[in-house]
Amino acid sequence: MQLTCHHLPQNDGHCGWYETLPTPPPPVSLKGEVKADWVVLGAGLAGLAAARRLAELQPNAAIALVEARRVGFGAAGRNSGFMIDLPHDLTSHDYTGDRTGDRQKIRLNRGAIDYMREVVRRHGIDCDWQEQGKLHGAVEDHGQRALETFARGLSALGEPYRVLDAREMQAVTGTDFYRTGLHAPGAVLVHPAALVRGLGATLPENVCLYEDTPVRDIEVGKLHTLITDQGRLKAPRLVLANNAYAAQFGQLGLKGRILPVYTYGSLTRPLDPQQLAALGGEESWGLTPADPMGTTVRRMRDGRICIRNSFTYNPRVSTSAGRLERVRIAHQRSFDQRFPMLPGVELEYTWGGALCVSRNGGTPFGELAPGVFSAVCQNGLGLTRGTISGKLIAEYALGVESELLDIMLKQPKPVANPPEPFLGLGVRSTLAWKEWQAGREL
Ligand SMILES: Cc1cc2nc3c(=O)[nH]c(=O)nc-3n(C[C@H](O)[C@H](O)[C@H](O)COP(=O)(O)OP(=O)(O)OC[C@H]3O[C@@H](n4cnc5c(N)ncnc54)[C@H](O)[C@@H]3O)c2cc1C
């Protein structure tokens, strides 16, 4: 079986998280023919966790981790940095009423946070790790209703939370934009690019990381061969951790079931002391919107503010300069509405990144072909879901049993999508409609 990577990772704008870090040491790229016991494709959260866990469980195995760009340059370093423990649906905050299912998702997400906390602590990874939970902010009636539903769901699950009124929201965020809010304590906030770069720099010795090494073709067989511009990598076992880019692999049944969707972030310059005084509020906080199509906002300790909103369907897994400019204007509008006390603060960086979703929130976790394992499709929650998928796929492939692995194996598989052009029409019109409905939450 031959898999061709038609869509390779692109440079989708200037990611502020990545560009404000120091330049990394030069990469090691794949050259010539290399043999390994395992190859992991993609060094995002899932790939980094899979390679690390394989190495922990098999300290004598040779593990190759292959990344098209630099570690931290892809979506794993482009996100808003919320390691979310609670079930989180891109389309709804309504809980399913399936309490067992929700509790299992929470266990998976907390399993990821626990694993990551231990790695970050052990290696002293400097990624602004903050166990401060997250705020949800509502602006309009429908946002407020969504938070009420969310609160009822949390009560039913026995999960702690605190409801905030407009005054309390302003005391945290500095703005009177939010009518009401909810604080849930379990999420961890990180600097995403610093986290993944730190993970890449502290891999066990038996992991060989090849960066700037786009894989163009994969020959799946007894010995899988990954073909790059300057080399070939052969290994009997392959872990797919290329997330949205796996949607092109029809032969493995992924095409037509998982979807690449983009979302976008922007980062301001650090606010100066006068601007910080005008803003007020706490030094560091993270807020996700009551309406899932709304705007995520983070204030960083270095005085920058991060804005995230807009979803687009990008089957070619790349975006355009025109789209990024439209997004920048939309982000500036969202920023100005929230922070009228900060006139003239411009967004220094704007970027896009690929999520991978399935229509039913299902995951193709498991063995897709002999010796080909999948840890892709995090349904927008890659910091926790990517981490736990990567860790558990290593355990699954090595026959290590656990309760978390049982939970992961019981997650639904992705359902089939309608064929193009109906799929594209449907996804684009649904996103546009939901974005319009989000109103001022955007
Ligand atoms: C703006 C934005 C905000 C977000 N906010 C959050 C958030 O706050 N919390 C959260 O949990 N999630 C968030 N996400 C989603 C999160 O970033 C993703 O779910 C996560 O990165 C998925 O991790 P992953 O390891 O599965 O995939 P990725 O991070 O996409 O990693 C896949 C890797 O595979 C590599 N690759 C692909 N094809 C090839 C090839 N042919 N050869 C070699 N390498 C290849 C890519 O370069 C990439 O590095 C956000 C995403 C964006 C874009």
Side-chain angles (χ1 to χ4, degrees), residues 5 7-9 41-47 66-69 74-84 213-216 241-245 248 263-265 308 351-356 375-378 380-384 386:
C5 302
H7 308 306
L8 292 172
L41 175 62
L45 291 146
V66 193
E67 169 54 48
R69 320 265 327 195
R78 289 177 173 245
N79 57 65
S80 309
F82 289 75
M83 291 200 79
I84 295 172
T213 302
V215 172
R216 298 198 176 267
N242 53 341
N243 209 32
Y245 304 88
Q248 53 195 319
T263 189
Y264 302 84
R308 188 221 48 87
W351 65 92
L355 313 175
C356 185
V376 303
C377 192
Q378 323 306 354
L381 211 62
L383 271 166
T384 42

Side-chain angles (χ1 to χ4, degrees), residues 131-214:
E131 307 234 356
Q132 60 176 208
K134 69 176 170 122
L135 282 174
H136 298 252
V139 190
E140 298 202 51
D141 284 348
H142 77 275
Q144 191 160 349
R145 282 196 300 277
L147 282 195
E148 285 160 8
T149 311
F150 186 45
R152 278 197 300 278
L154 292 179
S155 296
L157 289 169
E159 288 292 333
Y161 65 90
R162 186 165 74 89
V163 173
L164 288 82
D165 63 20
R167 201 179 40 80
E168 291 168 311
M169 286 298 282
Q170 185 169 9
V172 179
T173 63
T175 171
D176 62 3
F177 187 72
Y178 297 100
R179 188 198 288 188
T180 178
L182 183 152
H183 179 260
V188 177
L189 303 187
V190 295
H191 182 304
L195 172 68
V196 282
R197 189 183 281 178
L199 293 172
T202 59
L203 285 164
E205 274 180 8
N206 56 329
V207 178
C208 199
L209 169 65
Y210 298 104
E211 294 176 276
D212 277 348
T213 302

Side-chain angles (χ1 to χ4, degrees), residues 410-422:
K410 281 191 200 128
Q411 297 303 301
K413 297 290 172 205
V415 292
N417 297 320
E420 294 288 7
F422 306 105

Side-chain angles (χ1 to χ4, degrees), residues 240-263:
L240 296 178
N242 53 341
N243 209 32
Y245 304 88
Q248 53 195 319
F249 295 160
Q251 298 91 322
L252 293 174
L254 296 175
K255 192 169 182 173
R257 287 182 187 269
I258 62 174
L259 289 176
V261 170
Y262 263 54
T263 189

